[in-house]
Amino acid sequence: MEVISSLDSLFAIALAIMAFSGICIKYLKMYFQKGKVDSIKLAFESIVNKLGSENEAEKYAAAILLRRFFDPKSELGVGNTPYSQEAIDVIASLLRKEKRGDFQKILADNLKYAPSLEGADLQRINLQNAYLSGVDLKSADFFNADLSFSSLKKCNSQKAIFYQARLQETVLSEGDFQNANFMESDLKGIKFDKAIFEGANFKGARNIPSQIRKCLDKNGVYRESSSVRVGVYDDSKSKNVFISKPGKMTIEQEFIYSHVCTYLSNDGYKLCVVEVEDYQNFGILSEIKRVINGCHGVVLFGFKQYKVQSKVFRWWDDNLKREEPNETFLTSPWIHTEAGIASAFNLPLLLVSDFNIESGIFESILAESLIYKADSKAGFDKVLFEGAYKSWSNCLATDISAVTEEEILVS
């Protein structure tokens, strides 16, 4: 009996030692794991700091090293890639400001190595020329992002949001875009062979390929079988008007602007504006072109923005030099840029200018077809304003696809 009692005691002691050892091992494992995460955190902070380095080589190297936070087999990805989401956020933040170039492409291509981009916030980022083939983009948000010349080949992009995104020459081939949102995006030159678009919404999209357009119902939603279509989507009846205006206006200018916009809205026009705060460090002209390309007419507000006390014309040539001492007023140069883009699309222009604005598109000697002038000095009395407004309104394009970019380049 004493022997059995001794064996029971030894067994209990052994169990206690094993239990204690298990606790110690678990604690040590947690301790070392925490130590690894802490070291990864320090490495992450160091690499992020180097992304802003003035030394180009150090900056590019840091951008490439971000990929290691996505690799569970690397020293920076152990423990289920603890800093992968932070790395995605850093890349997205940088790409919201970075212009197209080598550094931008390295950052953009890094996203291909992420474990997943499902549901990722990628709004307004510059993904030009990015190679993201085969990446999981389910429910990712690309609102107003620039994916021009990028590759989304074989990507799972179900329910992804491409609202107002620029997808010029983007490769979508063999991708799954079921129930994706392409509303008001620019699809000029997309490659989409063997792509799945069932349930995708293309309402208001620009440059929709004919092969896709013919499969859209009356709401702009893609239907796989033409036999079940309610009707072919047609946005030509949508009366969109692009509004070109300065970023800041006086109280008097705001009053005139508000008055005209109310007039347009009451007549059923949808007003499209690219505000100054919407401008990005990249793709500004492409964004303006995308919006104007979906409009039927343009209203340009030539309000005074610059006051020039005196000017010398062609100062470099004594024979041609001409001094003009009288003060003049100029509007925002972007107004003229937007007028040029609109003219290239053969859109009718309604000019609303301050008195004494006499430059560029607002020169009084300019008399062209599709240009209609309304004098803001008249105070927008209905009778005085009606002539220019009615002529412009009657001239609105009925087919926004009538003029293609190829025709513009040829002309």
Side-chain angles (χ1 to χ4, degrees), residues 144-395:
N144 207 217
D146 194 339
L147 295 106
S148 302
F149 299 94
S150 63
S151 175
L152 305 184
K153 187 175 182 179
K154 296 183 179 181
C155 287
N156 177 5
S157 303
Q158 293 182 18
K159 297 183 179 180
I161 299 170
F162 297 97
Y163 178 57
Q164 293 188 353
R166 294 183 287 280
L167 296 152
Q168 297 179 22
E169 303 294 335
T170 303
V171 178
L172 308 180
S173 303
E174 301 179 56
D176 187 349
F177 297 91
Q178 293 181 75
N179 300 307
N181 183 349
F182 290 96
M183 293 174 62
E184 298 186 25
S185 61
D186 188 352
L187 306 174
K188 181 69 175 178
I190 62 168
K191 314 296 188 297
F192 54 93
D193 53 303
K194 298 182 181 180
I196 303 172
F197 293 109
E198 185 177 4
N201 193 335
F202 289 87
K203 185 176 182 180
R206 281 66 161 151
N207 301 306
I208 304 175
S210 59
Q211 298 96 320
I212 294 177
R213 181 179 286 273
K214 68 182 181 181
C215 295
L216 304 182
D217 66 16
K218 64 180 181 180
N219 296 313
V221 177
Y222 188 95
R223 301 303 180 191
E224 188 175 15
S225 174
S226 59
S227 62
V228 298
R229 285 185 295 143
V230 179
V232 176
Y233 172 62
D234 181 9
D235 60 2
S236 64
K237 294 182 180 179
S238 174
K239 296 193 293 184
N240 298 330
V241 171
F242 182 81
I243 302 297
S244 178
K245 67 179 183 69
K248 299 291 182 180
M249 294 179 279
T250 65
I251 295 175
E252 292 79 7
Q253 292 168 351
E254 284 278 6
F255 175 79
I256 294 171
Y257 170 73
S258 177
H259 188 99
V260 174
C261 288
T262 300
Y263 202 95
L264 291 164
S265 297
N266 289 341
D267 275 0
Y269 293 109
K270 178 184 176 182
L271 309 185
C272 304
V273 186
V274 179
E275 299 285 2
V276 172
E277 52 267 28
D278 295 329
Y279 282 15
Q280 299 165 270
N281 288 335
F282 57 89
I284 296 174
L285 287 177
S286 296
E287 173 63 7
I288 293 172
K289 186 170 68 172
R290 181 192 69 80
V291 178
I292 291 178
N293 194 26
C295 293
H296 297 72
V298 176
V299 180
L300 300 113
F301 291 89
F303 291 145
K304 296 174 182 176
Q305 295 289 294
Y306 299 90
K307 182 178 180 180
V308 182
Q309 297 296 124
S310 63
K311 57 185 177 181
V312 180
F313 182 66
R314 291 176 178 164
W315 73 93
W316 68 86
D317 191 323
D318 290 335
N319 296 322
L320 299 175
K321 184 169 67 175
R322 183 174 74 247
E323 294 188 25
E324 299 179 8
N326 296 331
E327 67 179 21
T328 57
F329 295 91
L330 303 173
T331 190
S332 167
W334 282 100
I335 306 295
H336 301 294
T337 300
E338 291 164 350
I341 294 173
S343 295
F345 286 113
N346 285 338
L347 299 180
L349 311 180
L350 179 63
L351 310 185
V352 181
S353 63
D354 277 331
F355 185 62
N356 280 342
I357 292 292
E358 279 284 335
S359 63
I361 193 70
F362 297 99
E363 289 188 21
S364 57
I365 61 171
L366 192 65
E368 302 282 340
S369 61
L370 300 180
I371 295 180
Y372 304 90
K373 301 180 181 181
D375 185 4
S376 64
K377 190 181 180 183
F380 293 98
D381 179 274
K382 186 174 182 180
V383 175
L384 297 173
F385 182 69
E386 204 170 50
Y389 177 79
K390 277 192 172 182
S391 298
W392 169 81
S393 182
N394 292 335
C395 228

Side-chain angles (χ1 to χ4, degrees), residues 48-63:
V48 169
N49 288 332
K50 290 177 181 178
L51 290 172
S53 173
E54 294 183 1
N55 184 310
E56 193 173 85
E58 186 176 59
K59 179 178 177 179
Y60 281 35

